[in-house]
Every structure is written in C-alpha cells, then in structure tokens.
Amino acid sequence: MKSTLFVKSLVACGIAIALAPSYAAAQEAADDTTKAQETIKVTGSRIARKEESGAPVQVFDEEDLEIRGALSIGEILQELPAVGASLNGNGSAGTSHGSSTINLRNLGENRALILVNGNRWVNGAGTRGFRDFVDLNTIPNAIVKSVEVLQDGATAIYGADAIAGVVNIQTYKDYVGTQAKAYYGQAGEGDRESTNFDFLHGVDFGANNLMVAISYADQKPIYSQDRDLTRTPLNGLAFGSAQGVFQEDSLAGLSNYGPDGITRDPNVDGSNPNNWRAATDSDEYNRWDNNYVVGPLERTSVYAQWVQPMDDVTMRIEALYNNRQSNQQFSSAPPVIRGSRGFMIANDARVNPFGVEFSGSDFRVYNFFDEVGQRVNSQDVDTMRLGIGFDGYIGATWSWDSFASYARNKATFVSDNQLDLDRLALGLRACDTTGIEADVSDLAAGCVPVNLFNPLTSEMADYIRFRGEDHNESRQTHARLNFTGPVAQLDAGEILVATGLEYRKEEGIDEQDPNISADPRINNYRATTSSPREGTRGSYDLYEAYAEATVPLVTDAAWAQQLELNLAMRFSDYSTFGSTSNAKVGALWRVNDDVMVRANWAEGFRAPSVLELFEGQRETFAPLNDPCSTDKSLPGCSGVPADYTQTASQQPVTVGGNRDLQPETSDNVNFGIVWTPAALENLSVSVDYYNIEVMDTISTFGAQNLLNLCATTGRNCGVISRNSSGEITNIVDGPVNLNSTEVSGYDLLTSYRLATDLGRFDMTLNVSYLSDYKQVSTLADGSTETEDLVGIARSREAFPELRSSFQLQWSHNDWSAAYSWRHIGDTTETFRGEDYSIGSVFYHSANASYDFGNGLRAKFGINNIGDKQPPTSRTNLNINFDINTYNAIGRFFYTQLTYNF
C-alpha cells in the first residue's frame, strides 16, 4: 500500500512535468530578461506567479519586527492576536526550559509549521528529553528580514504539521554593507537587564556574495520575591520548615510532641530535646521564594551565507551555529524522607538526640535542605545547521529550486543541588550498613553521618548533594526539489503548476544520567530527587510528492475581474504509520479593483513525533488537586482513609511514548473578503472566517482529568496508585489517538498608510475573535464529553474570546516614532468549585528614534508603559498567574544604537 501510493505521487509529479516542455517550447521566444522579475512566491503556495495569491498571509517587514525592541522572533510572534498561550519567559514554574514557541490558533506548538526560507527547521532540545516542535530561540534575529504568517491549513503544500498555519521566516538573500547594533534594556524595577549585539556584514566578490551575521543576547532573571504578585503562593505555603517537622509515634509521650509532630525555631540548638516544641499549622515554608518568574537566557550565534550565480543556476550555501544557555532556580530539595520509603534515623547520638529510632510508616520529616542549596536546572543547547540550495530556469517560463540540509540540536541538561537519596539514607543510619542487602561499598566509602536536627555541616551537604547531567539531541536530514511554471494557455490566462519531491528524516535521542534512572539500593523510593525516566532513541523517515495548480476560469468579466481555482495534493509515505494523501481546494474571486473574495478547504495531518512514538517512560510531577482530599464520599474515593488530606500540590505522574500512534487528521475551512478601495488609496481591510476540526488528536486524558473522572464516576481508577494512607504514588498518563478539537472564529486585519506634510503614518489593527473552541474528550466508558473553552482560563493556558493589537508608525525626515497596544480579553477560571473572573489586559508601548545622517540611528522605547502586571490566577498554582499567556516583567525601558557603515 505504501509503495503504491508513493508511485502514484511520482506519477502525479511526472504528469505535471511532462506537460511543461510543450508549452515551454512555444515560449522560447519570450524575453528571458523578464523571467526573474515577473514572478514571486508567497507563503501558502509554491507556484511562482506575477501577483500575490490572495491567501490569508500577514507579512512583517523589518520595521514591524523592531517596533517593540524584542530580542527574539518568538517574543514578536507570540503577541499576534491569533496566537494562544506559548512557551516563553523560561520561568521556574513553567516547562519552556529556555525554549520559545508559537501556538497558532490555540492548537498547540506542534500544529503550526515553522519554515525558514520555505525550508523546515530542526526540532528543539534542552528539556528533560527533546522537543517535538521548533524552538524559535535557535533562529538568530540578526538574519531575519521579514516574517510571513499564513493563517490557513497548508498540509497539501508543505506537508505535515501545517494544520493551524505556517510561519515562514525570510532571511537576507544577499546583503551588501555592514551594520552593527547595540541594545540595552531593563525593567522599571531595576531587573531583567538585557543586552544584545548584532553584527551583519555582506560583500560582493564579483557576481558572488558573502554574508556573515554574528549575534549575542543576554537577558537576566526576575525573582519571585521581586514582584508583589508572585511573592507568596495564593494556594498557600508548604507544610514544613528548613529546621524540619518530625513525626514519629515513638515521641508521642513527650510533653512537647503535638499531633503534627515536633519542630524547633531557627537558631535554636536542636541537639537538646528540650528545645523542640509542638508543630502547628503555622510552621510553613515558602518554597517559591527566590525562584524565577522570568528566567535568564543567553544566546550566541554565527551565520554565514555564500551566493554564487553560475550561468543559469544560482548556488546558495548556508551555515549556522547557535548556542542557547538557560536555567531555572527552585527551592532547596523538598521533603522526601518517609519511613514508608525505607528511610530511618538511627538511634545514634551523632544523628539523633532523642534516644529512639525513627522508622516505620508513621515516621516522616517535613524539611527543606537549605544547606545543600537551591536546585538549579541548566540547559546548554548547541544548534548546528548546514544547507545547500540551487535554483534556475528551464526554458523561458519554468523555474526550479532544490535544497538539502542537515541540522542538529544537541543539549546538555544539568540538575544541580539535588539529593542522592541512598547517600542520605545511609547518612541517617549513621553510616551503618547492617541489614542492607545491596552492595553499598561505594556509598560507605567516605560516608558522613547526617544529622537533620541541626543545620547540616558543609561535609554533610557535600556528601548527599547530587548533580545530574542528561544529554539529548534532535536531528533532521531534509532534501527537496520543486518545479513551477505554466502548462497550458486558457482564454482566462495560463494554468500554473508547481510540483516536487521531498525527503526528510527525523531523529531523537535522550540519554538520562544513569545515576538518576538507577534503582535505589537503601531506600525504596528513588536513587535521587531528580525524576527518573527511561531514555529515548527513535527515528522515522518519509518520502513525499506534491502537485499544485492554479486554473484561471474567468477574467475581465462584468461580474469578475478574475476568478481562479486553486488545487493541491500531497502524497506522504512514512516509515512509521504508512501512507496518507491530503488535498486542498481554493477559489479566488476578484470582483473588481476594490473587492476580493477567497475561500479554501483543506485536509491536513500531523504525524506522530519521535517524542510521542518512542519516548521512554519518565516520572514527573504536576500541580494537581485531589478530589478525594476534600470529599471521601465520591464514588472513586472508596478505600481512601478518612483522615487523608492532600499536603503537596505537586503529584507524581508517569508518561511515555506509544509506537502504535496514527496521525492526527484535520479539515480546514477558510472564507474571507478583502476590501482595498481605490477611492481611499493605501487602505486594506480583510475579514476572514476559519473553522478547523482536528480528529484523532494525540493526547492524554490529563492527570487532573483522570483524577476527577475516577473520583466522580469511579471509572478509569486503575491508572491511579495510592499508598495505605491515601496519598497518590503515581498516575499513568500516556499519548493515544483519542479525542478531537474544533476551533472557529474571525480575523480582522486593517492597514492604512497616509502621507502628509507632517510625515508618513502607517496604521495596523489586528483583531482575532474566537467564537468556538470545542474539545471533545473520550471517557473511559467510550462516551464523549464536549467542553467549549471560549472564555475559559486553565493552568498555563487561556482562551479569551477577543485578542487584538494596534500599531501606529510615524516617520518624517530623520525622526520616526511608533505606538502600539496589545489586548488580551477577559476569561473565567474555576478553582475548587468556584468561578473567578480574570479581567482583560491592555499593554501600551512606544518608541522614538533619530537618524543622525552619518549612518547612526538611535532609538529609545518603553514597553508596557502602564506597568501592567498579569491578572491573578488561582489555577496557576504557586506562581499566581498564567506564565504562558502573560509576563510579569512590568514596565521595560530600552535603547538601541544602529550604525550602518
């Protein structure tokens, strides 16, 4: 079946190519000098044509990209109204780990295709495992000339993942001159210091061109205690303290022992049992103090490009190296010691002043290991990409282009100031190995008794401190060949086609530190406090062929200045799930010079990624609310002890890959009207309706959904494990082709340019209205549940009905200025059964610049002039706001100097 469909795809390409020579031969007398200047390619079509295709594409030039002084392309794209909650900010409460993404149409980072000059980019790396989407922080700003955003399905044109749309980043094709940029900015609170240096140099060597770009950016963190919003978690502090709360039934006879155990006050000698007191509810610890709200990020990149014309062929060679360094800071290691996990404190005066052994299921310690230091996760990601392309002409009317590339993201993920739990367990035993069956001679050598009843000494902290180092990679091999030109002449014009072949291989490797994934030898919980998982290694490849045609139907009629039909088909043959074909049909009707109507229907798919297919099982934690903690009478809470109360918001979850996954599929419908009145020159107004239905979505039930489903109905409880005290010990949650999502809405884009004696004014209004976002979830009994998320906010994501942005740019002689606002509509969140309103937010920004006339231009800007902070959120536990929708930087000042030699 696979080979049959691929043969069909080859035949489709062959037919299109075979039609070309007869028509091209008839055109040999055409003026060859016009062929390069008469055709253009715009994102949404591979066809070279004389005018824009009419697809719903937004184009952002250099001025647009610099309007807010952003240091990465992700910061810019994430502010588009059509973009939902995206990874950014690198904060400790999130999962970006230094990555930047774009979540087009709220459909997820991996359902929008990222291209650079029409070519695929390698997936990201640098988290606990690799990514299945592009990290925009691996694309240096210095090489970006413009960005095209297609807000329509384009699988038939570009292949998998283009369900929500396509972002095509255009770099400088050739460049002559030298440009240097220096940038400095900081938040109004005095933090988030940001520096950036860009150097761009291009020179001609005869007909050849060499371009080199060097870029460096460094952005400092913002700490949780430095913003009122994030200083203290709204969901409460963690029970425990740096001094520790100890629970052990053997101490129950002491007069200073309370129901919650015993503790001591700071700076009190813990070696004297009389200095201990009964613990109370007020013994709490703010584990989110001194965390990152916005994390540090440092990027260095070097890019080189060589362009060489050779007769009728032009060769382009490009090479990129990019390094990204980021980290997240957390509290010191949280409470981990429990008798049920195999821990005990020996009755030895070196580690225990109470004269009794601490052990058994009743024994527990609520302490934070401050002397070991705050945990820090660091990422060091190297991106390497080599590419070579050729383009040329066949006869007078056909053109071709090819490109091949190899790219790799190679990352090191370091976990500092974690705990070696076997060393901790042995230290608490006063280094006594009696009764331990496993070989622990390596742990016993140099063992230091660990006394938790006083601050740890440096020797104790050094003995139990653990540093983990994971390595992961994403690799991509890519090659394509395209042809485009006319195949026939109709009364209404030429039939234009594009056709081509493509090959791609995706690889992913994740190697965890073997100490993290090792079995514990003394305790029965884990080897370290880092989350263990199985390593991942997998790959797939695919062959594709596509054909695209534009057929003119009517021209210069009374009712239609132009009417054309657009058709496309792509066949894809994957080594994993097999073959698939996807079509697209569109129509373009130019009523007259003022009005254009466009309509498209498209099939799409997203292939299961290496991560989803081959990811090894790993244990992690998620912020969850256990319904059985507050209501033991629920059907799924039978057997949970009556005295059970959830004490930690973070709960253990196990996730992994599924090699039987099939592709997601989609149907896209887009209908739009564009008005460009001749009576009002330079005004453009477009309104588009879109509807996207994604079927067989690769998803999980979600750990919180599993908890709720089990508790309220008693179904699917087998994936939830609890210990005898009722605490959750694991939730199994893996990917399946299970659900569906349907999203629809309207886009309004208005632009106007006005030239006056006072200067040129450029205005753009961009509005996105979300009318439906229906998420269909399959329940354990096979029935489905539909939830409309419009106007809803959840953990790390929000679905406001309305988002918009406006920008005004002015230039006159040597002066220029810009003003912009960004609007995120209101939503409602539900927390512990109660609804809370999250109000709409407006951010206002402005900048001004002056050209000194000698090549030097200076710019000064202020982002978030009103110092607007994110709205408070209770569902975003511990950090108090949705870090993927808003940021807590506040007012930000920056200045930039640009010098053109």
Side-chain angles (χ1 to χ4, degrees):
M1 179 66 177
K2 293 166 64 176
S3 59
T4 302
L5 283 178
F6 189 64
V7 168
K8 289 181 180 179
S9 67
L10 291 175
V11 171
C13 290
I15 292 173
I17 296 173
L19 288 173
S22 60
Y23 185 70
Q27 299 294 316
E28 289 295 337
D31 183 4
D32 285 357
T33 64
T34 65
K35 60 190 177 186
Q37 64 188 28
E38 286 189 350
T39 61
I40 60 173
K41 289 184 181 179
V42 176
T43 302
S45 176
R46 295 279 191 188
I47 293 175
R49 52 199 297 159
K50 297 179 181 180
E51 57 189 3
E52 295 185 5
S53 64
V57 177
Q58 293 188 57
V59 181
F60 302 91
D61 61 19
E62 292 173 88
E63 290 186 2
D64 297 324
L65 298 177
E66 289 197 356
I67 194 170
R68 286 202 57 249
L71 297 187
S72 75
I73 196 68
E75 292 180 55
I76 300 167
L77 295 176
Q78 288 169 3
E79 296 197 352
L80 294 176
V83 174
S86 304
L87 295 181
N88 60 45
N90 189 34
S92 298
T95 58
S96 76
H97 294 142
S99 298
S100 178
T101 64
I102 178 171
N103 177 12
L104 197 58
R105 300 293 192 207
N106 296 283
L107 287 175
E109 292 89 350
N110 52 11
R111 295 190 184 106
L113 180 60
I114 307 297
L115 303 175
V116 177
N117 296 327
N119 300 304
R120 294 215 174 219
W121 199 261
V122 64
N123 284 332
T127 184
R128 283 194 169 94
F130 46 86
R131 301 291 201 179
D132 59 354
F133 48 77
V134 170
D135 174 11
L136 294 170
N137 279 336
T138 62
I139 304 172
N141 254 14
I143 67 174
V144 178
K145 185 178 182 181
S146 64
V147 178
E148 299 169 355
V149 181
L150 172 67
Q151 296 177 178
D152 190 21
T155 292
I157 309 298
Y158 298 108
D161 308 331
I163 291 177
V166 178
V167 176
N168 189 13
I169 299 170
Q170 299 283 359
T171 67
Y172 292 95
K173 300 301 187 292
D174 51 44
Y175 184 84
V176 177
T178 302
Q179 183 183 86
K181 288 183 181 179
Y183 172 104
Y184 178 79
Q186 74 173 34
E189 297 290 335
D191 47 22
R192 193 52 173 176
E193 301 94 334
S194 302
T195 56
N196 183 72
F197 301 98
D198 290 335
F199 178 79
L200 183 63
H201 177 69
V203 60
D204 284 338
F205 294 93
N208 308 321
N209 180 263
L210 173 66
M211 186 184 79
V212 177
I214 302 173
S215 183
Y216 173 79
D218 184 19
Q219 296 170 284
K220 302 301 183 183
I222 296 176
Y223 292 90
S224 54
Q225 67 270 21
D226 293 333
R227 296 294 185 273
D228 291 339
L229 173 64
T230 58
R231 191 166 292 136
T232 304
L234 291 173
N235 51 289
L237 302 180
F239 180 63
S241 68
Q243 294 74 40
V245 173
F246 294 78
Q247 296 177 348
E248 165 59 48
D249 285 354
S250 299
L251 300 179
L254 298 177
S255 60
N256 54 356
Y257 189 85
D260 294 322
I262 58 172
T263 188
R264 64 180 175 86
D265 294 322
N267 304 315
V268 172
D269 182 11
S271 62
N272 183 351
N274 294 324
N275 287 336
W276 292 79
R277 61 171 175 81
T280 67
D281 291 342
S282 62
D283 289 305
E284 297 176 320
Y285 184 92
N286 186 359
R287 61 181 297 186
W288 297 97
D289 182 62
N290 212 41
N291 286 205
Y292 294 151
V293 178
V294 181
L297 185 66
E298 186 176 7
R299 291 176 291 137
T300 305
S301 64
V302 179
Y303 176 85
Q305 176 182 273
W306 175 259
V307 179
Q308 181 175 341
M310 301 178 295
D311 296 328
D312 288 335
V313 176
T314 298
M315 178 180 69
R316 185 185 311 274
I317 300 174
E318 59 185 53
L320 168 78
Y321 170 77
N322 186 87
N323 175 262
R324 172 175 67 76
Q325 297 186 36
S326 54
N327 67 74
Q328 302 80 45
Q329 183 163 289
F330 304 86
S331 72
S332 54
V336 70
I337 300 171
R338 301 179 187 180
S340 61
R341 292 175 174 176
F343 290 93
M344 62 170 288
I345 299 179
N347 182 9
D348 187 306
R350 292 175 297 172
V351 299
N352 182 351
F354 284 94
V356 296
E357 179 182 280
F358 288 54
S359 61
S361 60
D362 58 290
F363 164 51
R364 179 175 294 185
V365 182
Y366 294 94
N367 72 313
F368 290 80
F369 294 80
D370 283 1
E371 296 84 8
V372 176
Q374 289 194 267
R375 293 167 297 155
V376 177
N377 291 341
S378 304
Q379 301 82 41
D380 191 336
V381 184
D382 285 330
T383 304
M384 182 275 292
R385 187 174 188 260
L386 298 173
I388 183 170
F390 298 89
D391 60 78
Y393 291 89
I394 303 174
T397 57
W398 273 71
S399 64
W400 64 275
D401 65 271
S402 64
F403 187 80
S405 65
Y406 173 78
R408 182 195 69 195
N409 268 317
K410 188 173 184 178
T412 300
F413 187 104
V414 174
S415 306
D416 278 314
N417 297 332
Q418 298 285 349
L419 300 181
D420 186 317
L421 295 181
D422 278 332
R423 285 177 176 264
L424 174 61
L426 187 59
L428 293 175
R429 290 170 175 253
C431 301
D432 183 2
T433 61
T434 303
I436 299 175
E437 297 180 0
D439 180 6
V440 294
S441 57
D442 59 322
L443 304 179
C447 179
V448 177
V450 176
N451 186 339
L452 298 180
F453 296 92
N454 268 318
L456 299 181
T457 66
S458 59
E459 292 79 12
M460 294 176 188
D462 290 343
Y463 177 66
I464 65 175
R465 183 182 291 112
F466 173 75
R467 184 180 194 266
E469 187 171 302
D470 302 345
H471 300 273
N472 52 75
E473 292 184 44
S474 292
R475 302 173 185 165
Q476 182 187 82
T477 304
H478 178 229
R480 62 166 178 80
L481 174 63
N482 297 317
F483 299 88
T484 181
V487 295
Q489 179 71 45
L490 302 179
D491 290 342
E494 295 175 323
I495 298 178
L496 302 175
V497 303
T499 187
L501 305 172
E502 193 163 349
Y503 169 80
R504 181 161 50 94
K505 183 176 183 179
E506 302 283 354
E507 302 173 82
I509 301 171
D510 174 34
E511 298 174 345
Q512 187 178 38
D513 189 311
N515 295 303
I516 297 176
S517 54
D519 292 331
R521 289 176 284 170
I522 300 177
N523 77 92
N524 57 34
Y525 176 52
R526 290 179 179 174
T528 76
T529 49
S530 288
S531 299
R533 67 182 186 279
E534 296 295 326
T536 299
R537 183 179 291 267
S539 67
Y540 66 84
D541 63 358
L542 61 134
Y543 296 86
E544 294 184 297
Y546 79 94
E548 179 188 2
T550 295
V551 182
L553 302 177
V554 177
T555 187
D556 295 330
W559 56 275
Q561 188 181 82
Q562 177 188 359
L563 179 64
E564 66 180 36
L565 180 66
N566 300 302
L567 306 171
M569 174 70 76
R570 176 175 286 257
F571 297 96
S572 306
D573 184 18
Y574 278 73
S575 61
T576 48
F577 62 84
S579 298
T580 181
S581 61
N582 293 270
K584 183 171 185 175
V585 179
L588 180 67
W589 174 26
R590 298 184 187 274
V591 181
N592 49 43
D593 289 337
D594 292 357
V595 180
M596 180 182 73
V597 180
R598 56 194 177 204
N600 293 290
W601 169 85
E603 295 176 312
F605 79 100
R606 184 181 75 82
S609 68
V610 172
L611 187 67
E612 293 164 330
L613 291 165
F614 305 109
E615 181 183 17
Q617 285 194 336
R618 62 186 175 90
E619 297 179 15
T620 186
F621 284 86
L624 303 173
N625 291 312
D626 185 358
C628 295
S629 176
T630 55
D631 189 352
K632 309 298 188 298
S633 66
L634 293 172
C637 298
S638 175
V640 175
D643 60 350
Y644 162 64
T645 300
Q646 181 182 355
T647 58
S649 61
Q650 303 285 325
Q651 297 295 320
V653 178
T654 298
V655 297
N658 179 1
R659 300 191 182 199
D660 295 325
L661 288 173
Q662 296 297 304
E664 299 177 344
T665 60
S666 69
D667 287 328
N668 294 52
V669 174
N670 184 286
F671 178 83
I673 300 176
V674 181
W675 181 50
T676 53
L680 193 55
E681 190 177 359
N682 297 322
L683 173 66
S684 175
V685 180
S686 65
V687 179
D688 286 273
Y689 166 80
Y690 65 91
N691 177 272
I692 306 171
E693 184 176 5
V694 185
M695 290 77 73
D696 297 321
T697 55
I698 299 173
S699 56
T700 63
F701 273 105
Q704 185 65 64
N705 289 338
L706 284 169
L707 276 175
N708 295 342
L709 178 67
C710 169
T712 57
T713 68
R715 296 196 295 264
N716 218 41
C717 294
V719 298
I720 301 171
S721 301
R722 298 178 183 270
N723 62 20
S724 58
S725 65
E727 295 174 327
I728 296 170
T729 58
N730 193 35
I731 301 174
V732 179
D733 190 15
V736 289
N737 293 102
L738 186 66
N739 304 318
S740 65
T741 300
E742 184 175 3
V743 56
S744 60
Y746 299 85
D747 294 324
L748 168 68
L749 181 62
T750 301
S751 62
Y752 181 55
R753 170 173 291 180
L754 177 64
T756 72
D757 293 339
L758 299 176
R760 192 187 77 186
F761 297 84
D762 290 278
M763 292 160 277
T764 302
L765 174 65
N766 194 345
V767 180
S768 182
Y769 174 77
L770 183 64
S771 58
D772 287 290
Y773 195 106
K774 295 177 181 177
Q775 200 167 70
V776 180
S777 301
T778 302
L779 304 180
D781 62 356
S783 62
T784 60
E785 180 180 74
T786 301
E787 183 180 10
D788 193 342
L789 298 180
V790 175
I792 300 298
R794 305 193 298 191
S795 178
R796 299 176 186 167
E797 61 181 352
F799 303 86
E801 192 173 48
L802 195 63
R803 294 177 186 253
S804 62
S805 66
F806 172 79
Q807 65 184 44
L808 168 65
Q809 299 178 72
W810 166 82
S811 61
H812 184 61
N813 297 329
D814 297 326
W815 287 94
S816 62
Y819 161 78
S820 65
W821 55 251
R822 177 190 177 208
H823 165 245
I824 303 173
D826 61 294
T827 53
T828 300
E829 66 176 357
T830 302
F831 182 68
R832 294 177 180 173
E834 292 189 37
D835 290 341
Y836 295 88
S837 176
I838 298 177
S840 60
V841 175
F842 277 90
Y843 298 103
H844 301 267
S845 303
N847 67 67
S849 62
Y850 180 75
D851 191 334
F852 290 89
N854 58 357
L856 178 65
R857 172 174 287 271
K859 175 188 286 188
F860 174 77
I862 306 175
N863 294 335
N864 191 0
I865 297 171
D867 197 24
K868 188 72 174 180
Q869 285 294 299
T872 299
S873 168
R874 291 163 178 79
T875 57
N876 287 276
L877 302 176
N878 306 312
I879 197 65
N880 303 337
F881 76 99
D882 177 358
I883 64 173
N884 292 342
T885 301
Y886 313 92
N887 72 64
I889 295 174
R891 186 182 296 115
F892 186 83
F893 302 89
Y894 67 91
T895 185
Q896 178 177 285
L897 298 177
T898 303
Y899 189 75
N900 290 288
F901 295 85

